[in-house]
Amino acid sequence: MMRRHASRRVAYLAASTARRATSTAAAQAAAAPAASDKSAQVIGDVHKYEQFVQLDNEAYVEELLVKFKEDRMSVDSSWWPILEALESGTPADIAMIKGFSRPKGGGPVNEADEQRIDALKFAWMVRSFEQKGHLIADLDPLGMFDADLSPSLPPELQPSFFGFNDSEMDKTFRVDLTSRVIGSFTDGTQLVTLRQVVDQLKKTYCGYIGYEFSHLRSVEEQCWLRDMIHNPPKRLLDRHPLLDSLVRAEGFEKLLQAKFQTMKRFGSEGGEAVIPLLQVLLDVLGDAGFENSIFSMAHRGRLNILHNVLGKDLDLILNEFKGLTLPDNKNNLGDVKYHLGHQAEIETLNKHRMHVEMLPNPSHLECVAPVSQGYVRAMQETAGKGKTAHVVLHGDAAFSGQGVCFETMAMAELQKFGVGGTVHIITNNQVGFT
């Protein structure tokens, strides 16, 4: 039932706040119904219960509705307007206050009420981009799937959907959102044009990164992610070492392709950017006080990471291609080269000393993920929980299709298995193979 009324959840918010209008002008308008516009609504202060009127809490609201039908006195009176709206059975495509459009004729009572309505409309638009912006994000750098993607905004993300019109695109509004969200649109002020807000939302949620987090049930997690998206931490990086590592990663693959054309190597072509990514990640972990980093991954790109991140000697890798191994090599498990692991003491870009280790993975699947998590938990028991980080690299198709990935995450919070969090890196080189 709640899904049938989903399109009206913003209207319920307006209905529940409209009853709290307190201005004198609003009271005068109510006293003269013949002369006033019946569609005029005054939006009062946001009520503490309004955050619950969303699909994430449909079961809770459904339970309240059942109690309300039996005995309305068993439900807090602040819920009555919302539950009455649900019980009335208004068709799902008819909103009680359509798109927060300003009433014609009477209009808002005063400037404060107008700003409050605009703030609700802006908040609704930001929420919609959070929910659906990723659907049109530019996630196809090679242009392979243009037929399946459209760069144009769908109707539910158009400004007109939220009650704005074309003449308001360059109008300056005073937006009453949280200061952290406003900061991504302006330079700390609340004055912003509608065009500026729409452009920034498209850049943030429809650019080269797609964010999908509105399904999370934890309000704290949603707020943290929203803050990181709108106000990413500024990290000063020297790009020259990162460019150098990217060139080395590409050169490594070209060398192996030239020398061993007929041999399997599961190269990282299309995903070389993971090399500088891991180097920055190790810097961040070092800054946070971690002393050990444990990696696990399948085959694709493993040799490149072993050499350019963990520092495995190139001569050793080339000898493994030739079938030669050193007898004193403790990582020699008699397996193929792209199954082997490595461990080393390295220095990060920020001069942190860190122990890094790639666990061997003898399976074609990603079965090493739960093994590495148990390995990290054992190290945390001896070295301390704030000392060892867990990093798992996945292929895009493997992460989507192999049950072991989700089974491992399902066990992540077990009392004797959890490690306090894992960094998951999914490499999409649009190959869809391991």
Side-chain angles (χ1 to χ4, degrees):
M1 176 178 178
M2 285 300 299
R3 295 190 183 278
R4 181 165 58 88
H5 299 285
S7 65
R8 292 184 287 124
R9 65 178 181 272
V10 180
Y12 304 152
L13 186 153
S16 65
T17 55
R19 64 185 176 80
R20 291 189 302 280
T22 58
S23 68
T24 304
Q28 293 174 350
S36 64
D37 185 350
K38 292 183 179 180
S39 65
Q41 300 284 350
V42 180
I43 307 302
D45 295 334
V46 177
H47 191 272
K48 62 180 180 180
Y49 286 116
E50 287 163 3
Q51 61 182 306
F52 297 118
V53 188
Q54 52 181 310
L55 284 178
D56 294 346
N57 299 284
E58 61 182 56
Y60 175 66
V61 180
E62 193 74 41
E63 182 181 352
L64 287 179
L65 182 60
V66 173
K67 292 181 179 179
F68 180 76
K69 289 181 178 179
E70 296 175 352
D71 180 13
R72 69 165 53 206
M73 299 305 296
S74 64
V75 179
D76 190 287
S77 60
S78 61
W79 278 99
W80 289 4
I82 302 170
L83 298 176
E84 287 172 353
L86 285 171
E87 193 177 18
S88 66
T90 304
D93 58 344
I94 301 178
M96 283 172 266
I97 299 181
K98 188 175 180 180
F100 288 125
S101 296
R102 295 193 186 91
K104 297 180 179 179
V109 175
N110 53 45
E111 184 179 355
D113 294 323
E114 183 177 359
Q115 291 176 3
R116 196 174 292 118
I117 293 175
D118 287 336
L120 286 172
K121 291 160 68 174
F122 274 116
W124 185 17
M125 184 162 60
V126 171
R127 179 67 172 172
S128 296
F129 270 88
E130 288 178 356
Q131 293 176 325
K132 299 185 178 181
H134 68 278
L135 297 176
I136 55 173
D138 187 4
L139 306 180
D140 182 30
L142 301 182
M144 298 172 62
F145 305 107
D146 285 341
D148 300 324
L149 299 175
S150 172
S152 60
L153 287 178
E156 57 269 27
L157 295 182
Q158 296 285 353
S160 58
F161 184 80
F162 309 100
F164 296 108
N165 54 60
D166 293 340
S167 63
E168 294 179 300
M169 290 301 294
D170 294 312
K171 179 181 176 181
T172 300
F173 294 87
R174 181 177 293 276
V175 185
D176 187 17
L177 300 174
T178 62
S179 59
R180 296 290 288 173
V181 175
I182 289 177
S184 65
F185 299 121
T186 66
D187 295 327
T189 66
Q190 291 180 308
L191 297 177
V192 62
T193 65
L194 176 59
R195 190 181 306 277
Q196 188 178 358
V197 171
V198 174
D199 289 345
Q200 183 62 36
L201 286 173
K202 291 169 63 177
K203 179 181 177 181
T204 301
Y205 291 103
C206 310
Y208 296 112
I209 301 177
Y211 299 101
E212 189 175 5
F213 63 93
S214 59
H215 62 284
L216 297 176
R217 294 187 178 274
S218 171
V219 176
E220 182 181 0
E221 291 178 359
Q222 284 197 30
C223 291
W224 185 88
L225 286 169
R226 185 179 295 109
D227 187 27
M228 291 295 104
I229 293 169
H230 283 276
N231 303 279
K234 293 180 173 55
R235 187 178 182 85
L236 297 178
L237 295 173
D238 183 356
R239 298 187 178 186
H240 291 90
L242 300 181
L243 175 61
D244 180 69
S245 64
L246 188 61
V247 172
R248 288 177 179 271
E250 185 176 2
F252 178 82
E253 298 298 343
K254 289 183 177 180
L255 171 64
L256 295 185
Q257 176 63 23
K259 294 292 184 181
F260 308 101
Q261 296 183 8
T262 61
M263 300 185 68
K264 283 186 179 181
R265 58 186 175 86
F266 294 96
S268 62
E269 286 92 345
E272 294 94 342
V274 74
I275 303 300
L277 169 66
L278 289 176
Q279 292 181 337
V280 173
L281 174 61
L282 291 175
D283 261 355
V284 173
L285 293 175
D287 292 343
F290 286 92
E291 300 175 355
N292 310 293
S293 294
I294 307 302
F295 293 86
S296 67
M297 64 181 297
H299 307 341
R300 186 160 299 281
R302 173 180 282 256
L303 293 177
N304 206 324
I305 292 175
L306 288 176
H307 174 60
N308 286 303
V309 178
L310 279 75
K312 184 173 182 179
D313 191 74
L314 181 59
D315 290 340
L316 184 59
I317 295 176
L318 296 179
N319 282 331
E320 290 170 351
F321 270 93
K322 299 175 182 178
L324 305 176
T325 57
L326 300 176
D328 58 345
N329 180 13
K330 60 183 178 182
N331 291 317
N332 180 21
L333 302 178
D335 205 341
V336 291
K337 50 197 167 296
Y338 42 80
H339 285 177
L340 302 179
H342 187 71
Q343 56 181 311
E345 299 291 329
I346 68 168
E347 186 179 77
T348 68
L349 298 176
N350 282 351
K351 309 302 181 183
H352 296 292
R353 296 297 303 175
M354 183 175 293
H355 172 81
V356 292
E357 185 171 353
M358 174 75 75
L359 296 187
N361 181 29
S363 170
H364 192 67
L365 304 177
E366 296 195 12
C367 68
V368 70
V371 177
S372 65
Q373 185 158 321
Y375 188 91
V376 170
R377 177 57 186 258
M379 292 189 66
Q380 290 180 345
E381 292 290 340
T382 57
K385 289 191 175 181
K387 303 295 183 181
T388 305
H390 186 213
V391 182
V392 181
L393 293 94
H394 308 273
D396 56 321
F399 186 81
S400 302
Q402 294 184 10
V404 66
C405 302
F406 300 97
E407 291 160 359
T408 304
M409 288 189 286
M411 298 188 297
E413 298 299 324
L414 292 179
Q415 186 177 5
K416 299 296 183 180
F417 192 62
V419 296
T422 296
V423 178
H424 293 270
I425 300 174
I426 303 174
T427 303
N428 177 14
N429 60 358
Q430 298 187 315
V431 174
F433 178 59
T434 63

